[in-house]
Structure formats: structure tokens, C-alpha cells
Amino acid sequence: MQKAIVYRAYNGAEIIDTRPEAEIAYENMRYAEELYAKRKQRNKPHKSFAEILSALL
């Protein structure tokens, strides 16, 4: 059975992706959203690359 991933665009249009790669892309998107949510829950703000570099110099 072939799986299909349905995306809803910002304008309300639905996009149906039946490629085998679509499931992998969906899993990657879900992982990125979970990682973002975990990082957002942290109280300690992340330092920018410039702040880290200036502290090392």
C-alpha cells in the first residue's frame, strides 16, 4: 500500500505527495518541530555565534 502525505498550504490548498521520499520528509519535519519545541521550553537563551566567538577572543 502506497502512503501519501497531505500538506495544507498557507492559502488553504491541499498538496498530495505520493512519493516514497514524502514520508522521510515528513519525519524530518516532525523531528525539526519537536526539536524546536524542546529548545523553546528552555529558559536559558542561546548565544549567537558572534557572542561565542567574541568570548573566545
Side-chain angles (χ1 to χ4, degrees):
M1 179 178 172
Q2 187 175 8
K3 294 183 180 182
I5 305 297
V6 178
Y7 299 99
R8 185 173 301 265
Y10 68 93
N11 61 359
E14 290 185 347
I15 301 166
I16 300 172
D17 194 355
T18 58
R19 298 175 298 149
E21 298 87 15
E23 188 175 358
I24 297 169
Y26 177 75
E27 292 295 324
N28 290 342
M29 179 187 69
R30 207 172 78 202
Y31 172 73
E33 289 174 347
E34 289 173 3
L35 187 62
Y36 172 76
K38 286 179 186 177
R39 288 182 178 174
K40 191 175 179 182
Q41 288 178 352
R42 291 183 185 167
N43 294 334
K44 184 178 175 185
H46 292 281
K47 292 185 178 183
S48 69
F49 177 73
E51 290 173 330
I52 295 170
L53 185 60
S54 66
L56 293 174
L57 296 177

